[in-house]
Amino acid sequence: MAEFDLIEQYFNFHYDFSSNSADKKGQPSVVKGIGDDCAIFNIPDKFQLVTSTDTLVSDVHFFSNLQPELIAYKALAVNVSDLAAMGAKPLAFTLSITLPEVSERWLSDFSKGLKSASEKFQIPLVGGDTTQGPLTINITAYGTVKQSRLLRRDKAQVGDDIWVTGYLGEAAAALDLSEKALGGRDELTEAENNLWQSLATPKPPVKFATKLAKFAECGLDISDGLMADLGHILKQSQCGANLDVEFLPLSDSLVEVVGIEQARQFALNGGDDYQLCFTAKSQHRNKILNLGERYKVNTTRVGKVTEGDLIVQLEGEAFQPTRASWQHFNQ
Amino acid sequence: MAEFDLIEQYFNFHYDFSSNSADKKGQPSVVKGIGDDCAIFNIPDKFQLVTSTDTLVSDVHFFSNLQPELIAYKALAVNVSDLAAMGAKPLAFTLSITLPEVSERWLSDFSKGLKSASEKFQIPLVGGDTTQGPLTINITAYGTVKQSRLLRRDKAQVGDDIWVTGYLGEAAAALDLSEKALGGRDELTEAENNLWQSLATPKPPVKFATKLAKFAECGLDISDGLMADLGHILKQSQCGANLDVEFLPLSDSLVEVVGIEQARQFALNGGDDYQLCFTAKSQHRNKILNLGERYKVNTTRVGKVTEGDLIVQLEGEAFQPTRASWQHFNQ
């Protein structure tokens, strides 16, 4: 199958996203998608374009025998999460895929998962590249944000509340189950299956994030683990924090499968959560809780920004994390 | 070395591109580069953002033992070529690099080549991703174009001249020399070395391209070979062409190394040229020649757009190309 046919058959989705329509005057829009050298966007003056790119490598970021639908879904979801981290609304994405060979069955499944995530997050595929080589998936996502509505990393201030969305640690716990999971989903308990779903199909709170900047100036998504990612905020904002372990949002499934002690460790340093960590003034507490309810996003205060270091505590006593955050090329 | 240190050491270039400065009122600008979840751009209303992405896989798109400086240079140059294909001015690029291991020597050389291309094409690095796995380089390039100044693929009209920039076929000829070249550049003749330079360091005519849309509405870059790429224009514009083989711009070096017959074949279907093919009304001939002189870009008329098929002829007689254009996954 030639490259052009492959793109036409598996990646030329047809969309009806009214929110991305060029007809909406004054809104960001996709002018041209697949079929030219480049994709083209109109970005009205009151918006900024934000862009993020992530590469997933077979057997590094996902198991090569994972269902192609799930590989595709997650590849897009983690990029959408980077947009949410800025408070940006998804506009479009491009896919660069490197394939060892053309398997129409694999491509058809992959395409299905990609289209499903594309529709879930209302983000159209507008271009990309197919090449031959070891299986690697690179996605670049484009979003827009109103000029004054950007979530940054350097705006935390002493006294701010520290919040997280969703439940943490489930994906890291699921990785421990992955061998069992790959042996067949039937063997999993319901709780284990819930963890597995969190790992396989992360759900970054995109719509919540686009509204959040009314109440929060500082935030990011939790991909390397809460402590590591909160660390980025603290470093760039030049402050410290008290993090209260007893407030970490832990799902019943997580506690059932790994116990409360391990659940807290996974929540602190597991990574792969693709939820938000953000800081906000205490007068916005109710507004944030209401916003979470409106978009069905769990919101939890887990600490406070301070002048000092990052201190992790359990009911006022020092708490010792057992697990380093994950980094590429860590030695 | 941790991912963050690696980025800081090898990819956090410091630029002074006045043309990309946020200080220039009304011009597109990079608001935020490396260090956040996303890069951020301001795109004033009279501009459109165009974006292009390309992946280079080790031992598919380049030899893994090629100097890292050359790998980096070309990876960026081919993406800049896609911007030129639209008549767009480079704004910024992101790099996603997958590395089997951290070799500081390799990274240092790669970084040098990347910075050199970045400065040559006046395009700053604003973000990206480093991952571990088989060597793969993905670049997404961002450019801007004034609303009415876009080079498209579907605007060729019957009677238009067909033009190309530069000299064609050199890169394809160099690929045939590549084993010899890899054995040591000293063994190459001067002419062979010229071909090798065209393959290793393509020079897309970026500034010429940004001015071209005054005189040409339709164009693209020649990456898969002139016939294949002209074919895209003809298909999307729903017309045909007469292509005159005797007018193809062939360098002395190419003819010296492979002879005139093979030179013509490489120029028609070699690929990897990263020059422009465009169509324009005949009244613009002198303006196009003058524009080429101004930017030191060779410009050559090679045929005419017609109502029929794509006909390749040598001094009025049918000419038979011997080589199919290259496509991924061609079977």
Side-chain angles (χ1 to χ4, degrees), chain B residues 215-247:
Chain B
F215 316 120
E217 286 184 309
C218 189
L220 44 53
D221 67 326
I222 306 171
S223 54
D224 294 333
L226 174 60
M227 280 184 62
D229 288 313
L230 176 59
H232 298 315
I233 289 181
L234 301 179
K235 188 177 173 196
Q236 294 200 21
S237 301
Q238 298 186 294
C239 41
N242 286 350
L243 197 58
D244 297 307
V245 172
E246 68 271 27
F247 296 146

Side-chain angles (χ1 to χ4, degrees), chain A residues 1-2 4 35 37-39 41-43 45 48-49 51 55 60 96 129 132 138 142 153 236 327 329 331, chain B residues 1-2 4 35 37-39 41-43 45 48-49 51 55 60 96 129 132 138 140 142 153 236 327 329:
Chain A
M1 179 176 291
F4 303 109
D37 290 284
C38 304
F41 305 120
N42 276 336
I43 313 294
D45 274 353
Q48 292 182 315
L49 183 93
T51 174
T55 301
V60 177
S96 291
D129 189 37
Q132 196 156 13
N138 172 271
Y142 306 88
R153 292 180 173 195
Q236 294 199 23
Q327 275 201 358
F329 308 121
Q331 285 169 355
Chain B
M1 180 176 291
F4 302 108
D37 290 287
C38 305
F41 305 121
N42 276 338
I43 313 294
D45 274 354
Q48 291 182 316
L49 182 93
T51 173
T55 301
V60 177
S96 291
D129 188 36
Q132 194 155 14
N138 172 271
T140 300
Y142 305 87
R153 294 180 171 195
Q236 294 200 21
Q327 275 202 357
F329 309 120

Side-chain angles (χ1 to χ4, degrees), chain B residues 41-104:
Chain B
F41 305 121
N42 276 338
I43 313 294
D45 274 354
K46 63 180 173 179
F47 293 92
Q48 291 182 316
L49 182 93
V50 308
T51 173
S52 165
T53 188
D54 258 309
T55 301
L56 301 185
V57 181
S58 180
D59 288 325
V60 177
H61 300 94
F62 58 88
F63 297 102
S64 53
N65 55 351
L66 187 67
Q67 296 99 300
E69 280 178 74
L70 295 180
I71 297 173
Y73 178 96
K74 186 154 180 177
L76 183 51
V78 301
N79 275 283
V80 167
S81 181
D82 276 329
L83 298 181
M86 310 286 276
K89 180 177 177 180
L91 175 66
F93 75 101
T94 55
L95 166 74
S96 291
I97 186 165
T98 305
L99 295 165
E101 61 186 348
V102 174
S103 153
E104 303 217 9

Side-chain angles (χ1 to χ4, degrees), chain A:
Chain A
M1 179 176 291
E3 186 178 2
F4 303 109
D5 298 332
L6 186 155
I7 291 168
E8 183 57 36
Q9 183 161 353
Y10 295 111
F11 297 116
N12 203 357
F13 304 148
H14 299 281
Y15 296 97
D16 181 22
F17 295 167
S18 57
S19 58
N20 278 311
S21 166
D23 300 337
K24 272 201 168 179
K25 284 261 177 212
Q27 292 297 309
S29 61
V30 176
V31 182
K32 199 151 176 48
I34 286 175
D36 221 309
D37 290 284
C38 304
I40 309 171
F41 305 120
N42 276 336
I43 313 294
D45 274 353
K46 64 179 172 178
F47 293 92
Q48 292 182 315
L49 183 93
V50 307
T51 174
S52 165
T53 188
D54 257 309
T55 301
L56 301 185
V57 181
S58 180
D59 288 326
V60 177
H61 299 93
F62 57 86
F63 298 103
S64 53
N65 57 351
L66 187 68
Q67 296 99 299
E69 281 178 71
L70 294 181
I71 296 173
Y73 178 96
K74 184 154 181 176
L76 183 51
V78 301
N79 276 282
V80 167
S81 181
D82 277 329
L83 298 181
M86 309 286 276
K89 182 177 175 179
L91 175 66
F93 75 101
T94 56
L95 167 74
S96 291
I97 186 165
T98 305
L99 295 165
E101 61 186 347
V102 174
S103 153
E104 305 219 7
R105 178 154 177 198
W106 193 95
L107 274 166
S108 166
D109 285 352
F110 184 88
S111 162
K112 210 178 291 172
L114 195 68
K115 187 156 198 276
S116 141
S118 168
E119 284 169 353
K120 177 174 177 58
F121 298 116
Q122 298 271 297
I123 184 167
L125 175 60
V126 295
D129 189 37
T130 62
T131 47
Q132 196 156 13
L135 181 57
T136 308
I137 295 149
N138 172 271
I139 285 180
T140 300
Y142 306 88
T144 55
V145 62
K146 287 191 189 161
Q147 300 265 7
S148 57
R149 288 279 178 82
L150 189 68
L151 288 175
R152 303 177 56 126
R153 292 180 173 195
D154 58 359
K155 292 283 184 188
Q157 291 189 317
V158 175
D160 284 358
D161 293 329
I162 300 170
W163 295 77
V164 297
T165 62
Y167 297 91
L168 305 183
E170 291 191 286
L175 266 180
D176 276 6
L177 297 172
S178 55
E179 285 208 358
K180 191 174 170 190
L182 288 167
R185 297 264 297 279
D186 293 346
E187 298 167 36
L188 295 178
T189 65
E190 192 186 330
E192 288 171 335
N193 189 51
N194 289 342
L195 304 188
W196 174 252
Q197 291 296 332
S198 290
L199 176 66
T201 56
K203 292 172 189 65
V206 181
K207 289 188 176 170
F208 173 86
T210 62
K211 305 295 179 186
L212 183 61
K214 286 184 197 174
F215 316 120
E217 287 184 309
C218 188
L220 43 54
D221 67 327
I222 307 170
S223 55
D224 294 332
L226 174 59
M227 281 185 61
D229 288 313
L230 176 59
H232 297 317
I233 288 181
L234 300 179
K235 187 177 173 195
Q236 294 199 23
S237 301
Q238 297 185 292
C239 42
N242 287 350
L243 198 58
D244 297 307
V245 171
E246 68 271 26
F247 295 145
L248 293 173
L250 308 175
S251 71
D252 293 344
S253 296
L254 179 62
V255 174
E256 180 185 326
V257 175
V258 303
I260 182 80
E261 292 301 324
Q262 188 56 49
R264 284 169 171 160
Q265 297 291 348
F266 279 137
L268 281 174
N269 280 315
D272 242 359
D273 295 299
Y274 302 106
Q275 292 295 330
L276 296 177
C277 171
F278 59 94
T279 66
K281 300 271 166 284
S282 58
Q283 66 260 36
H284 292 317
R285 284 180 189 172
N286 280 337
K287 291 173 197 150
I288 288 167
L289 290 169
N290 290 341
L291 191 67
E293 274 180 30
R294 189 169 146 205
Y295 290 102
K296 298 188 176 62
V297 171
N298 190 49
T299 51
T300 312
R301 277 191 294 126
V302 296
K304 268 207 166 302
V305 178
T306 65
E307 283 180 340
D309 291 326
L310 172 56
I311 292 170
V312 185
Q313 55 193 23
L314 179 64
E315 286 159 10
E317 303 284 321
F319 182 88
Q320 192 56 51
T322 55
R323 197 165 184 262
S325 293
W326 186 76
Q327 275 201 358
H328 286 286
F329 308 121
N330 234 342
Q331 285 169 355

